[in-house]
Amino acid sequence: MQVITTGHHLEITDSLRTHVNSRFEKLARHFDNVTDVHVILSVEKLIQKAEATVHINGATVFAEDHQEDMYSAIDDMVDKLDRQITKHKEKVGSHR
């Protein structure tokens, strides 16, 4: 799984990058076919925004979250992605 992290109006520090990578390891444990992840972290006035596009076999999943803290925005975004990927995995498994 390749995780690409970019920032808009924000410098991506090593601690942010390691936090993103550690949270996305959770997705790799649930679903093995995650090929590519693109994470965009941005700041708009006082709101921290995290959004990600995940490419998996058969689908592309997108989620975003807005919080006052960047770390909590990343955590909530990964939780949303986890729910969507679990739902996709159940759909694929039920058709076979």
Side-chain angles (χ1 to χ4, degrees), residues 66-82:
H66 307 275
Q67 297 287 334
E68 292 182 1
D69 181 34
M70 182 60 77
Y71 292 100
S72 62
I74 292 169
D75 293 344
D76 291 344
M77 176 198 58
V78 171
D79 291 339
K80 289 178 183 180
L81 284 171
D82 187 34

Side-chain angles (χ1 to χ4, degrees), residues 6 13 21 27 31 34-35 46 52 54 62 69 71 75 91-93:
T6 59
T13 60
N21 290 336
L27 295 181
F31 195 63
V34 176
T35 57
L46 298 176
V54 178
F62 176 80
D69 181 34
Y71 292 100
D75 293 344
K91 280 184 181 179
V92 170

Side-chain angles (χ1 to χ4, degrees):
M1 174 174 68
Q2 180 182 6
V3 179
I4 300 168
T5 307
T6 59
H8 287 250
H9 306 292
L10 174 72
E11 182 180 342
I12 304 298
T13 60
D14 290 335
S15 62
L16 272 176
R17 191 176 309 276
T18 56
H19 184 73
V20 167
N21 290 336
S22 67
R23 292 295 291 170
F24 274 99
E25 288 176 2
K26 176 183 174 183
L27 295 181
R29 282 182 283 165
H30 287 166
F31 195 63
D32 297 334
N33 297 329
V34 176
T35 57
D36 186 28
V37 178
H38 188 188
V39 179
I40 300 172
L41 306 175
S42 62
V43 176
E44 298 173 0
K45 295 189 180 181
L46 298 176
I47 297 177
Q48 313 288 326
K49 180 179 175 183
E51 58 186 48
T53 304
V54 178
H55 299 286
I56 56 178
N57 288 346
T60 300
V61 181
F62 176 80
E64 67 179 356
D65 195 60
H66 307 275
Q67 297 287 334
E68 292 182 1
D69 181 34
M70 182 60 77
Y71 292 100
S72 62
I74 292 169
D75 293 344
D76 291 344
M77 176 198 58
V78 171
D79 291 339
K80 289 178 183 180
L81 284 171
D82 187 34
R83 284 192 302 268
Q84 290 179 10
I85 289 176
T86 305
K87 185 177 178 181
H88 174 72
K89 184 178 177 182
E90 290 173 359
K91 280 184 181 179
V92 170
S94 66
H95 286 284
R96 294 183 183 173

